[in-house]
Amino acid sequence: MEVISSVEELKSYLKDKGVGFVPTMGALHEGHLSLIKQSVSQNSTTVVSIFVNPTQFLEGEDLDKYPKKTEADLKICELAGVDAVFLPTISDIYRDNELIIKAPTIKGYILEGASRPGHFDGVLQVVLKLFNIVNPKYAYFGKKDAQQLYLIKQMAGDLFLDVEIIPCDIVRDGDGLALSSRNVYLNPQERTKALALSKSLKRAGKLISAGNRDVEKIKSLCLEVLKDVDVEYFEIVDYEFNTIDSIELNNTIVLVAGRVGTTRLIDNIWI
Ligand code: PAF
C-alpha cells in the first residue's frame, strides 16, 4: 500500500487508473471499513484520504481534539486491501485567499447547515478538491451524513463532475448506536443516553410500518424518547431534503441531531 502526501505524486500514481475513492477524516471505524470494502470489491484501485478538514469545523467545535489514529488507520486500510492512502497536510490542500465554494442557499443551511452554518461550504470545498486530485470514477459516502451525501451529489451534478456518488448504509453497534468517530467522546453513562437517538428513529420506523403517515404526529411521539438528549432537530424530509406533511414510502428520511453531554451526535433512517 502506498502512503502519499504530495498532490502531484498522488496524481501521477493514479494516472489512467479507474479509481474508487473513500474520503475520510480518519479515526476509522467499521462504518468507514464498510465503505472501503465496497470500493475494494468494485474497483481495481481504491484510494482512501485521511484529512481532518479545518474549513468544515465552526469556531468552538472539536477541530483541535478530533480523534487522530493515523497508525491504526493505515493498518486498517492495508488489511482491507486499499491501494493508496492520501495523507495531506493543510498546506498541501489550502492556499491563502483562495476561491470559495458555497453550499446552496437553502439546502446547505437547513438542519445540519442551520446548526452548523458554513459547515457544508467547507465540506464541499474539500470534497471538490479531493475529487480533482484523485479523479475517482466512484466515490463512497455513508448515509449517516445524509445531508452531506445529498449536497455532494448535487455538487457532482451541478458542476458536471465525472464521478458517481455511491451511498452506503449506516453501520450500527449491536445496541443500535450509529458508528461515529465522535462516539469516543462519550463516557459510559452518556453512551447509554445516546441510544435515545437510534431508539427515536426505531419508533418512527415502527409508527410508519403500522401505517402512520402524519409527520407532525410521528415527530411528537418520537420526541418523547429523546427527553435525555438536548435535541437540535428531529425532522422528516423527502430524499431531496424538502419538508413534507405526509410520509411517502421510499422517499422519506427521518433525521435527528442532538447533544449528549458535550458530544454532538446525528443519526437517521431512510424509509
Ligand atoms: O464525512 C466526512 O468524514 C467528511 O465530511 C469528509 C467527506 C471526509 C470531508 O471532509
Side-chain angles (χ1 to χ4, degrees):
M1 184 177 79
E2 307 285 329
V3 179
I4 300 173
S5 53
S6 139
V7 171
E8 288 318 317
E9 206 183 310
L10 186 71
K11 279 188 162 200
S12 89
Y13 169 78
L14 293 174
K15 208 167 173 45
D16 301 327
K17 291 195 166 97
V19 174
F21 179 41
V22 183
T24 80
M25 298 205 299
L28 302 182
H29 51 64
E30 289 288 334
H32 296 110
L33 191 56
S34 77
L35 311 185
I36 292 170
K37 282 182 176 160
Q38 200 163 323
S39 176
V40 168
S41 73
Q42 291 174 342
N43 300 280
S44 54
T45 303
T46 288
V47 176
V48 172
S49 63
I50 299 177
F51 179 64
V52 181
N53 171 38
T55 63
Q56 70 188 76
F57 289 79
L58 273 63
E59 199 68 40
E61 288 190 341
D62 57 344
L63 173 61
D64 294 336
K65 67 166 188 168
Y66 197 82
K68 278 206 176 60
K69 300 182 177 169
T70 311
E71 231 171 89
D73 290 347
L74 292 177
K75 197 89 235 157
I76 289 170
C77 289
E78 182 153 38
L79 290 173
V82 169
D83 298 279
V85 174
F86 181 43
L87 205 61
T89 60
I90 293 175
S91 60
D92 289 318
I93 297 292
Y94 286 107
R95 299 165 186 188
D96 286 340
N97 198 23
E98 65 171 48
L99 180 149
I100 297 294
I101 299 287
K102 288 295 278 179
T105 40
I106 297 175
K107 290 177 186 170
Y109 287 86
I110 54 170
L111 303 167
E112 279 305 284
S115 295
R116 308 178 69 191
H119 164 69
F120 288 122
D121 301 355
V123 169
L124 296 178
Q125 181 93 1
V126 80
V127 170
L128 181 58
K129 283 170 180 273
L130 292 169
F131 282 174
N132 284 333
I133 294 166
V134 175
N135 194 21
K137 200 164 171 353
Y138 300 102
Y140 297 79
F141 292 89
K143 284 177 162 181
K144 177 161 168 291
D145 292 300
Q147 196 174 357
Q148 165 175 288
L149 172 62
Y150 172 78
L151 292 169
I152 289 170
K153 261 193 166 167
Q154 179 177 345
M155 176 174 75
D158 289 355
L159 301 185
F160 305 102
L161 303 182
D162 206 4
V163 57
E164 190 176 330
I165 308 299
I166 312 286
C168 301
D169 286 340
I170 296 176
V171 179
R172 298 178 182 281
D173 266 338
D175 56 11
L177 187 71
L179 296 191
S180 159
S181 303
R182 290 189 168 100
N183 289 353
V184 295
Y185 300 151
L186 299 167
N187 67 33
Q189 291 80 11
E190 289 171 341
R191 203 187 172 292
T192 304
K193 281 186 184 170
L195 295 179
L197 272 79
S198 56
K199 283 183 183 157
S200 70
L201 297 172
K202 217 169 170 188
R203 178 176 274 198
K206 276 193 179 154
L207 288 164
I208 294 165
S209 298
N212 289 283
R213 294 289 177 267
D214 184 327
V215 162
E216 282 313 314
K217 176 127 189 266
I218 293 168
K219 273 164 63 173
S220 80
L221 289 169
C222 293
L223 279 166
E224 287 172 6
V225 183
L226 290 160
K227 57 185 181 328
D228 287 337
V229 175
D230 182 6
V231 179
E232 281 183 13
Y233 60 79
F234 185 97
E235 285 299 340
I236 302 183
V237 296
D238 69 13
Y239 284 0
E240 304 279 297
F241 279 82
N242 300 304
T243 47
I244 50 173
D245 298 326
S246 178
I247 303 289
E248 193 189 326
L249 300 182
N250 298 315
N251 188 22
T252 297
I253 312 175
V254 186
L255 306 122
V256 61
R259 276 174 202 281
V260 179
T262 55
T263 307
R264 186 171 186 280
L265 298 168
I266 61 171
D267 199 354
N268 65 68
I269 51 166
W270 298 52
I271 306 288

